[in-house]
Amino acid sequence: MKKISIIFVCVFLIVILFVYQQNMKTKAEVKEGDFVYRLVTEKEEYSEGEAIKIYAELEYIGDQEEIEISHGGSPFSFPMVETTRNYDIDSFNFLVLKRTKLIKGESLRLEFLGSGGYGSQDENEYTEFMKRVANNEFPKGRYVVNGAADFNVIESGDSIEKKNYEIKAQIEFRVKNSK
């Protein structure tokens, strides 16, 4: 009887682990006010050396036909954490002020092209890791993307209330050894 209980517990744990690994969140959609922010990675699992496909979208769904927003170099950021090594991968945004027109029902889309940084005092392993990520060549590991859309609505004299937005979402993916 004890042997059957142990087998049952082992099978149960294997099933739970399998379900957990299969249910990575690869798409997130957040609605805030008159905007929908989407953060997407095309796959749960990539092979080492394969380009990682991540993108963000911002869609205006309000009453007007179009509005104008202001933001840094991009309204989107893609900071990440590699959870195997516990490395933070920063997302940099230029300190310029840009304006972008959003048309109702049309998504503004930007793809992730690489990010991260390192300093002369960092260890070689960390430096090499960051160089690979900056080139969109992710090493084996599990990654959590803490994406955000950060922008301001520019008043047009109509009924849009000026507001600062920082809409956040989270997705994840794995990178496995190439075969």
Side-chain angles (χ1 to χ4, degrees), residues 106-151:
E106 292 183 19
S107 294
L108 172 65
R109 180 176 171 162
L110 179 71
E111 291 189 26
F112 171 80
L113 300 174
S115 187
Y118 55 90
S120 61
Q121 302 299 317
D122 290 325
E123 294 180 18
N124 286 342
E125 180 182 331
Y126 179 81
T127 300
E128 290 305 313
F129 176 90
M130 287 300 173
K131 284 180 181 178
R132 289 182 66 189
V133 170
N135 288 323
N136 201 12
E137 299 169 357
F138 285 69
K140 177 184 171 188
R142 182 176 170 274
Y143 297 83
V144 177
V145 183
N146 299 302
D150 190 3
F151 59 95

Side-chain angles (χ1 to χ4, degrees):
M1 186 69 174
K2 194 173 189 179
K3 188 176 183 180
I4 292 173
S5 296
I6 291 172
I7 291 171
F8 178 77
V9 168
C10 289
V11 169
F12 179 74
L13 289 174
I14 290 170
V15 168
I16 293 296
L17 229 122
F18 180 77
V19 168
Y20 172 75
Q21 288 184 346
Q22 297 303 314
N23 289 326
M24 296 190 91
K25 188 174 179 182
T26 59
K27 297 177 183 169
E29 182 174 288
V30 178
K31 182 180 180 289
E32 187 174 317
D34 290 338
F35 299 93
V36 176
Y37 169 61
R38 293 179 197 88
L39 183 63
V40 178
T41 183
E42 292 184 353
K43 296 169 33 176
E44 284 185 355
E45 188 169 273
Y46 296 88
S47 294
E48 218 171 358
E50 182 180 1
I52 307 299
K53 304 287 186 186
I54 302 170
Y55 64 89
E57 291 182 337
L58 183 64
E59 182 180 353
Y60 172 67
I61 57 171
D63 295 332
Q64 298 186 15
E65 288 303 309
E66 62 183 42
I67 63 162
E68 195 169 18
I69 62 170
S70 64
H71 51 83
S74 167
F76 303 118
S77 61
F78 300 91
M80 299 180 203
V81 175
E82 194 287 317
T83 62
T84 308
R85 298 167 187 86
N86 199 29
Y87 287 167
D88 288 323
I89 305 164
D90 292 326
S91 181
F92 302 103
N93 208 341
F94 298 105
L95 297 175
V96 297
L97 183 61
K98 290 181 115 180
R99 295 177 126 184
T100 301
K101 189 177 290 188
L102 297 179
I103 299 171
K104 182 178 180 174
E106 292 183 19
S107 294
L108 172 65
R109 180 176 171 162
L110 179 71
E111 291 189 26
F112 171 80
L113 300 174
S115 187
Y118 55 90
S120 61
Q121 302 299 317
D122 290 325
E123 294 180 18
N124 286 342
E125 180 182 331
Y126 179 81
T127 300
E128 290 305 313
F129 176 90
M130 287 300 173
K131 284 180 181 178
R132 289 182 66 189
V133 170
N135 288 323
N136 201 12
E137 299 169 357
F138 285 69
K140 177 184 171 188
R142 182 176 170 274
Y143 297 83
V144 177
V145 183
N146 299 302
D150 190 3
F151 59 95
N152 300 310
V153 173
I154 297 173
E155 290 188 49
S156 64
D158 293 313
S159 62
I160 291 182
E161 178 182 326
K162 184 176 180 192
K163 184 174 179 185
N164 302 331
Y165 287 86
E166 187 177 14
I167 309 171
K168 296 181 178 186
Q170 188 177 79
I171 58 172
E172 55 189 303
F173 63 93
R174 283 187 303 272
V175 176
K176 64 179 182 170
N177 287 334
S178 56
K179 294 183 179 180

